[in-house]
Structure formats: C-alpha cells, structure tokens
Amino acid sequence: GEDVEQSLFLSVREGDSSVINCTYTDSSSTYLYWYKQEPGAGLQLLTYIFSNMDMKQDQRLTVLLNKKDKHLSLRIADTQTGDSAIYFCAETPNYGGSQGNLIFGKGTKLSVKP
Amino acid sequence: SQTIHQWPATLVQPVGSPLSLECTVEGTSNPNLYWYRQAAGRGLQLLFYSVGIGQISSEVPQNLSASRPQDRQFILSSKKLLLSDSGFYLCAWSVGRLMWNEQFFGPGTRLTVL
C-alpha cells in the first residue's frame, strides 16, 4: 500500500534555510505536493512537482525530487517567523486516471526562532 | 471565485451523541469532495470522497458515514460518537478526473468527544 513518511519536527533560526524531507513508497505516483497548515486553519497548497521533474523553484521554495530513492524535499530559503506551520507532503497514487486521491504524510512542524 | 465553508468551527459532544458536520462549496460545479480527519499525534487521513451526488466512497472502516445530498454539499455524520472520533475534520474539493488534482481545503471543524 501507499505510505508517506516525514520527520515530525524541525526547528530553525530566522534567516536560515529550512529543509523538510519526505519519503514515499508508491513508485507510480505522478504528482507530489507540499501543503502548509497554519495553526487552526485548513491546508493550503504551496507547490507541487510532476514526477518527471527533478527540481522546481518558486521564489523562496525549492522542491527536489529523487525518484530513484522516492525522496522529496522542500527547501525554504531565508525562513521567516511567518513560515512557522505544519508542512504536509502528499502524493497522488496512480489508480489509472481516477479522481486522484491524495495520500498525506503526518506532517512536519516547522518552528522558526527569532 | 470558489469558496468552501465548514461548520461548526468547534464542537464538543458527549460520547454516544449523534454528529453532523456540514461542508458546502461555492463557485464551482460538480466538484470532487473529500472528508479528512487529523487526529492528535497522527497524520491526515482520508475518510470519504465523492465524485457526484449520492456517490460516496469510504477509505477506512469507522464509526462515521458521509452523504452528498446536493452537488456542492457534503455531510459527515455519526449515530453515536466514540472518544476516538475526536479530531480536526477537514473538508476539501477539487475538480476534474485527471491525476493533477489540487485540493482546496476548508477551515476545518475541531471535534472534542468527552
């Protein structure tokens, strides 16, 4: 079955880079996502990467995908206190063109210290 | 623009009481609808999804049920709540049947069963 694993906590200082890691098991996954959940709120899509890409950059965010090792990472440059949140990795398992349910990891809580 | 509403925002219920959580989506037609639960210390778990009115798929066996009486309304119910039903319930929507499937999340309902 599908499984997505993430470390539960990460603490960084303001201005440093944050790297959140994720591993997944479904080698047929076509899209991988990073969602952000701020305290008491729903999830917000941050970025996504298609499985035939190795890297995607969007302003302060860089997503790296190692498909061979089934490893996904999210790098946040110049981390700010406003980046403090829980970050979820998710994948779309390949059900052959279904509605594309997401399989989420447990989330990594990022704490940014001033 | 599309919006998603959930209510209530918080709920405290005794064990054995019934439950009804409501989710409505505005600004889109024929969305895919999802119910997720985020339990303390655990990841985000997909409970139900629906691709159309009256069409409900359950991902995990549990004490809960879902219904979709209208195109943009999704209801999560229980006849008798258990302590283990406590958690943060998130409704989400997406469109299309392709693998690319950005999901948009509601603000969530925090349920405490005492």
Side-chain angles (χ1 to χ4, degrees):
Chain A
E2 307 88 8
D3 197 15
V4 178
E5 297 286 340
Q6 301 177 240
S7 53
L8 295 182
F9 302 98
L10 177 65
S11 181
V12 300
R13 292 205 174 275
E14 192 173 19
D16 289 349
S17 292
S18 307
V19 180
I20 303 171
N21 294 302
C22 169
T23 58
Y24 60 98
T25 57
D26 187 351
S27 59
S28 66
S29 293
T30 52
Y31 287 97
L32 297 122
Y33 311 78
W34 284 105
Y35 278 83
K36 176 183 181 181
Q37 184 184 30
E38 296 184 353
L43 275 67
Q44 178 188 13
L45 180 66
L46 277 181
T47 186
Y48 66 94
I49 189 167
F50 188 48
S51 59
N52 68 352
M53 298 168 64
D54 297 324
M55 185 182 84
K56 181 177 180 181
Q57 189 156 2
D58 183 4
Q59 298 181 337
R60 291 191 298 123
L61 304 179
T62 302
V63 178
L64 295 177
L65 175 61
N66 182 330
K67 198 171 181 183
K68 174 174 172 289
D69 294 339
K70 299 177 193 171
H71 183 265
L72 182 74
S73 67
L74 174 69
R75 179 176 180 270
I76 305 173
D78 187 25
T79 311
Q80 304 297 308
T81 54
D83 294 324
S84 294
I86 300 175
Y87 290 82
F88 289 90
C89 172
E91 62 167 350
T92 302
N94 189 348
Y95 291 151
S98 71
Q99 65 287 336
N101 296 334
L102 295 179
I103 306 297
F104 284 88
K106 292 185 178 181
T108 299
K109 184 174 182 179
L110 175 63
S111 299
V112 182
K113 299 178 181 178
Chain B
S1 63
Q2 301 90 352
T3 55
I4 178 169
H5 304 278
Q6 284 186 246
W7 64 90
T10 59
L11 191 60
V12 180
Q13 293 281 97
V15 168
S17 64
L19 173 74
S20 181
L21 302 182
E22 191 161 340
C23 170
T24 58
V25 180
E26 296 177 358
T28 187
S29 296
N30 196 28
N32 305 312
L33 295 173
Y34 309 82
W35 276 113
Y36 290 88
R37 176 171 60 201
Q38 187 179 27
R42 303 181 66 178
L44 203 64
Q45 181 183 41
L46 178 65
L47 301 176
F48 300 96
Y49 66 88
S50 170
V51 298
I53 295 174
Q55 300 178 60
I56 309 293
S57 296
S58 174
E59 285 294 293
V60 294
Q62 58 207 314
N63 182 43
L64 303 167
S65 62
S67 61
R68 186 169 177 176
Q70 301 181 70
D71 181 47
R72 288 170 286 181
Q73 184 184 30
F74 206 23
I75 298 173
L76 184 69
S77 305
S78 174
K79 292 182 180 177
K80 289 185 178 181
L81 283 169
L82 305 173
L83 288 174
S84 58
D85 292 324
S86 292
F88 191 53
Y89 289 82
L90 288 160
C91 180
W93 68 272
S94 69
V95 292
R97 298 291 183 263
L98 301 178
M99 298 309 295
W100 161 234
N101 189 14
E102 178 177 359
Q103 293 186 14
F104 301 89
F105 285 80
T109 295
R110 184 161 299 283
L111 171 66
T112 303
V113 182
L114 301 175

